Amino acid sequence: MSSPAVPLFRFGIIADPQYAPIVPHVAMDRQYANSLAKVAEAVEVFNSWELSFVMTLGDVIDRSFSSFDDILPIYDRLRHEALFLLGNHDFPVSAAHLAEVAARLRMPSPYYSFSRHGWRFIVLDGNDVSIFAPPEDHPHRVLAAEMLAELQEKGAANAHRWNGALSDGQFAWLGDEIAKAAAAGEKVIVMNHYPVYPAGEHGMWDSERVVALLASQSHVVAYLNGHDHVGNYGEAGACHFVNFKGVVDTENQNAFAIVEVYADRIEIRGFGREDSRRLVY
């Protein structure tokens, strides 16, 4: 039996623009100011396709809250719905703005879900427990310091200040959303800023419990993330884990993708540095 030739639907993916009106970080090849033109190029390509939405996988800006004023109007040129999730570089803003980041990105809440075409998309906030995103007196910031110290004592590869974790409340919500999707007959795609598999220095602090949950559910098809700008891929259980490359890297090369969902597979069309992949499910 031949595979269907027409996708059920398509959506766009951008990861890590990290826009800031500053000079490049030459050693890391991060060209912060060039991300305006790169996102504009991606928007132009997306507008030539029929897409259900475009998701940016975090790190829209690099440091200043005012940078949202420069880059978000470029997303307004999209003829598709522009959706966002939170990355670590969206939070090196003044303390007064910490609680405003999600609203500035027009997100309904720091983590949320939505359904399209019989699929449920679960959008996580990997900064929920971190030393930079919660308000300065929030218990999640205290918990983050404890988690980080414990990981550092173990010599864990991901024991870095620029990673984070889900709160227990959010992890329970993730499990509930996956169960609701199963009851509704929906396939699931999870999206987050941080990778969880394969393990590495950019991994979310509580990656192991997230991978165990996702890999145990046959209707959870894919987990999509950014954060590690070189990209990556892995498979655990029936779940594909795709790490998209960062827009901010390199002077001229872009990196974004169109994801085509079929009845039996997902085709990722990579543009610029982004790899094209076929994910069979």
Side-chain angles (χ1 to χ4, degrees):
M1 182 174 171
S2 61
S3 297
V6 180
L8 304 173
F9 64 100
R10 300 181 177 97
F11 59 92
I13 288 286
I14 303 175
D16 301 76
Q18 275 185 233
Y19 166 72
I22 57 175
V23 298
H25 189 305
V26 177
M28 301 182 75
D29 201 13
R30 293 189 177 170
Q31 311 282 330
Y32 305 100
N34 291 8
S35 287
L36 290 185
K38 291 181 181 181
V39 171
E41 179 190 16
V43 165
E44 187 174 350
V45 172
F46 291 149
N47 282 345
S48 69
W49 289 76
E50 293 302 322
L51 304 177
S52 182
F53 61 88
V54 172
M55 172 63 78
T56 299
L57 297 169
D59 284 5
V60 177
I61 62 168
D62 189 72
R63 56 197 72 190
S64 173
F65 194 78
S66 63
S67 291
F68 286 124
D69 297 337
D70 295 332
I71 194 167
L72 289 182
I74 296 176
Y75 284 95
D76 291 338
R77 302 175 195 170
L78 272 170
R79 66 184 186 94
H80 312 294
E81 185 177 14
L83 299 175
F84 297 91
L85 57 78
L86 300 170
N88 56 306
H89 284 276
D90 295 315
F91 287 99
V93 298
S94 66
H97 287 304
L98 283 174
E100 301 173 7
V101 174
R104 186 68 185 92
L105 288 168
R106 308 154 192 164
M107 296 168 58
S109 58
Y111 54 92
Y112 60 99
S113 70
F114 61 96
S115 294
R116 294 285 191 280
H117 312 282
W119 287 65
R120 182 168 303 212
F121 292 85
I122 302 175
V123 182
L124 301 179
D125 174 18
N127 315 279
D128 196 1
V129 176
S130 65
I131 62 170
F132 48 80
E136 292 181 351
D137 58 348
H138 197 284
H140 283 182
R141 193 175 280 232
V142 177
L143 175 59
E146 294 171 353
M147 290 181 70
L148 179 58
E150 185 177 336
L151 288 167
Q152 287 173 334
E153 187 174 344
K154 293 178 180 177
N158 61 340
H160 295 289
R161 299 172 61 85
W162 29 263
N163 292 329
L166 306 184
S167 63
D168 288 343
Q170 185 181 173
F171 183 73
W173 172 85
L174 170 61
D176 288 344
E177 286 292 315
I178 290 172
K180 288 176 184 176
E186 296 173 322
K187 299 287 189 185
V188 172
I189 293 177
V190 180
M191 297 178 170
N192 188 17
H193 181 60
Y194 299 90
V196 292
Y197 187 84
E201 66 173 352
H202 291 84
M204 201 161 58
W205 293 336
D206 58 340
S207 293
E208 289 183 3
R209 68 173 178 173
V210 175
V211 175
L213 173 61
L214 302 187
S216 69
Q217 306 294 317
S218 61
H219 65 300
V220 178
V221 174
Y223 177 101
L224 312 180
N225 67 272
H227 192 50
D228 186 352
H229 295 191
V230 300
N232 206 351
Y233 170 80
E235 188 174 357
C239 186
H240 299 274
F241 294 81
V242 184
N243 188 147
F244 290 86
K245 296 180 179 180
V247 168
V248 70
D249 296 74
T250 78
E251 183 174 3
N252 298 309
Q253 288 183 291
N254 213 335
F256 58 94
I258 289 175
V259 180
E260 300 183 304
V261 180
Y262 293 81
D264 62 348
R265 69 193 188 280
I266 292 175
E267 300 275 0
I268 298 176
R269 292 175 176 260
F271 293 78
R273 297 187 302 112
E274 187 54 61
D275 295 324
S276 294
R277 305 179 188 272
R278 169 174 285 195
L279 315 177
V280 177
Y281 67 89

